[in-house]
Amino acid sequence: MSSGQQLKDRPRASRSRRGGGGGSGHGRLTVKRVAILGVTVAALAGGTTYVVRTSVENNSAPKKVLEPDSFLALDPNAPDPEADILKENAVQALRKDRLERGRDRKNGLDPVDIVEKAPGGGGFNPANFPPGSTPDPGSNKAVGKEMAAARGWTGAEWGCLERLWDKESHWNERAMNRYSGAYGIPQSLPGSKMASAGSDWQTNPATQIKWGLGYIAGRYKTPCGAWGHSQRVGWY
């Protein structure tokens, strides 16, 4: 090969070596790539460790039990689909029993039980009623009428409220639905929801009425709105 030919081919070989070096560099771990890879692995490992640690801590943490006072901060009118389903199931169970026993609605099975001990739940223990005390639906109704009037619910609105709680509990503060477990004059489900109106919800008719009026105002606006819903579906 002539020297001229060698000079002509030398740059091409040099370019080939540079090109070859570049091609092999794509498959080689450079210092920069090692650093990036290290940071990525560390981030992934750290994130995974955090998730696992948080999950373990949450699962091993003692479960928080609501205390009676904490119910004062709850919203009594917040949507409760689970309670609505229980109410619907209770209505269906009552209709089934009435149908099977061949009784009509007027003279048929009453879903209201008058319990001998106030139910617990939500941080409250079952409670005995005050010794010698007896329910007084007439007095309870008078209190309810006065409290409803304070909200402007008189006339037809009072008539709707009177019929609604006649049907639900007979205005008896010890009333419990035998199918759903709803409790009290307004038939709160569960009864412990009424703790948002007072810690004496188990035995005090006025506290139960206060909660019930707030529930009606928040969910149905007026007693007639609640009564209309009850007439359509069997619960409110």
Side-chain angles (χ1 to χ4, degrees):
M1 179 181 297
S2 66
S3 60
Q5 186 65 37
Q6 290 177 344
L7 292 174
K8 182 178 180 182
D9 290 340
R10 189 173 300 165
R12 185 179 304 165
S14 175
R15 283 196 301 270
S16 176
R17 285 195 298 271
R18 286 197 299 271
S24 62
H26 286 297
R28 186 181 303 131
L29 289 176
T30 65
V31 174
K32 182 178 181 181
R33 287 174 182 165
V34 169
I36 293 174
L37 182 61
V39 171
T40 303
V41 170
L44 290 174
T48 302
T49 301
Y50 174 78
V51 171
V52 171
R53 185 175 66 250
T54 302
S55 177
V56 170
E57 289 175 351
N58 288 340
N59 289 331
S60 60
K63 303 302 180 184
K64 182 179 180 181
V65 178
L66 287 176
E67 297 297 331
D69 289 344
S70 67
F71 277 86
L72 300 177
L74 299 181
D75 180 3
N77 311 314
D80 191 347
E82 183 177 349
D84 289 350
I85 291 172
L86 291 175
K87 293 174 187 176
E88 179 62 30
N89 289 343
V91 169
Q92 296 303 325
L94 174 61
R95 288 172 178 168
K96 180 181 177 182
D97 281 355
R98 282 175 172 164
L99 186 62
E100 290 178 350
R101 299 185 186 199
R103 300 176 178 178
D104 60 25
R105 182 172 181 176
K106 182 177 180 180
N107 300 312
L109 185 65
D110 190 341
V112 177
D113 273 337
I114 306 303
V115 297
E116 296 182 357
K117 177 177 287 191
F124 292 85
N125 294 320
N128 292 317
F129 295 107
S133 66
T134 57
D136 186 349
S139 176
N140 294 344
K141 190 177 290 190
V143 172
K145 186 174 184 178
E146 182 177 346
M147 294 176 70
R151 288 177 173 266
W153 293 342
T154 58
E157 291 298 339
W158 162 246
C160 287
L161 181 65
E162 183 181 22
R163 290 192 296 274
L164 178 65
W165 287 350
D166 273 341
K167 168 180 174 286
E168 291 289 329
S169 64
H170 315 318
W171 288 84
N172 193 318
E173 73 270 19
R174 303 181 187 183
M176 178 177 284
N177 187 290
R178 70 175 76 241
Y179 297 97
S180 68
Y183 178 70
I185 294 171
Q187 289 291 278
S188 171
L189 184 63
S192 56
K193 284 184 177 180
M194 293 187 288
S196 61
S199 60
D200 57 352
W201 62 271
Q202 292 164 298
T203 58
N204 190 332
T207 298
Q208 296 181 1
I209 292 169
K210 177 182 177 182
W211 181 89
L213 296 179
Y215 172 77
I216 288 172
R219 184 159 186 180
Y220 299 102
K221 307 304 181 185
T222 66
C224 286
W227 174 242
H229 187 276
S230 176
Q231 289 294 95
R232 288 192 302 274
V233 302
W235 55 270
Y236 82 107

